[in-house]
Amino acid sequence: MATANQRGQHAHEPGTGPGPEASDLQFLAVQLRRMNGEINRVVHGFAGAHTLHATDIQALAAILDAPEPMTPGRLRRHLGLTSGAVTACVDRLERAGHVRRVRESADRRVVHLHYVPEAREAARRYFRPLADAAVAARTHFDDSELAVVARFLAALNEELSHVASDDR
């Protein structure tokens, strides 16, 4: 009988035997890269449909997910860009109708970046299939398993936030 590798499959692909061990870092890395690739495929489609750069989409996500109003300075730090690059990014997003700059009333020097409601709704519609896929995937797990997955993803994101992005 041929092994999974002889059949051109990886040992942990569906239908090739018992599932992966929780400690199988190779399997986990492959699945995370695959998920990242699938999400990037959809993100790049949105960027292309709206004549935006991939960095612009990252900026929109940062503005959307920010726990407080986003400023250009916080966006610069979040994206790891120069102030000039962030200005160009925000200019593109503003011209495309995705964000608006709002001066803080108490201190006119403070600028907040707001996701325009109509643009947010367009993004919500475009990315709905990602949300639907997540809902479908959730049905395979009970609440305690989902709690572990959520804790793992939060811990992984925290660890990744400490990884230097400069050339090594």
Side-chain angles (χ1 to χ4, degrees):
M1 181 168 172
T3 66
N5 286 338
Q6 289 168 330
R7 289 190 307 268
Q9 297 172 314
H10 295 286
H12 299 301
E13 287 182 357
T16 61
E21 294 295 319
S23 63
D24 188 345
L25 190 57
Q26 174 67 27
F27 177 80
L28 183 61
V30 167
Q31 294 305 311
L32 288 171
R33 280 193 302 270
R34 187 171 162 212
M35 181 181 70
N36 186 54
E38 294 299 331
I39 291 171
N40 279 339
R41 180 179 53 77
V42 176
V43 166
H44 285 122
F46 181 82
H50 293 266
T51 32
L52 299 173
H53 298 261
T55 303
D56 300 341
I57 305 304
Q58 289 178 315
L60 285 173
I63 293 166
L64 180 66
D65 295 341
E68 57 191 0
M70 183 61 78
T71 65
R74 280 201 298 278
L75 186 60
R76 179 188 61 75
R77 287 186 296 280
H78 179 80
L79 297 176
L81 298 174
T82 65
S83 58
V86 165
T87 298
C89 173
V90 172
D91 287 347
R92 282 191 303 273
L93 291 172
E94 196 171 39
R95 275 193 310 272
H98 289 276
V99 300
R100 62 184 160 78
R101 291 174 169 106
V102 177
R103 296 240 176 244
E104 176 61 40
S105 60
D107 183 350
R108 300 286 296 154
R109 294 172 298 174
V110 177
V111 174
H112 289 156
L113 304 173
H114 294 278
Y115 209 138
V116 173
E118 296 81 12
R120 183 187 295 216
E121 184 54 38
R124 187 175 282 130
R125 280 192 310 275
Y126 189 93
F127 290 107
R128 184 82 225 162
L130 288 180
D132 293 343
V135 168
R138 285 181 64 163
T139 65
H140 301 286
F141 303 90
D142 64 34
D143 288 346
S144 64
E145 291 172 314
L146 288 171
V148 171
V149 170
R151 278 195 348 262
F152 170 76
L153 290 174
L156 179 58
N157 283 326
E158 178 62 26
E159 293 298 325
L160 290 173
S161 75
H162 300 294
V163 174
S165 61
D166 54 79
D167 294 334
R168 296 186 183 271

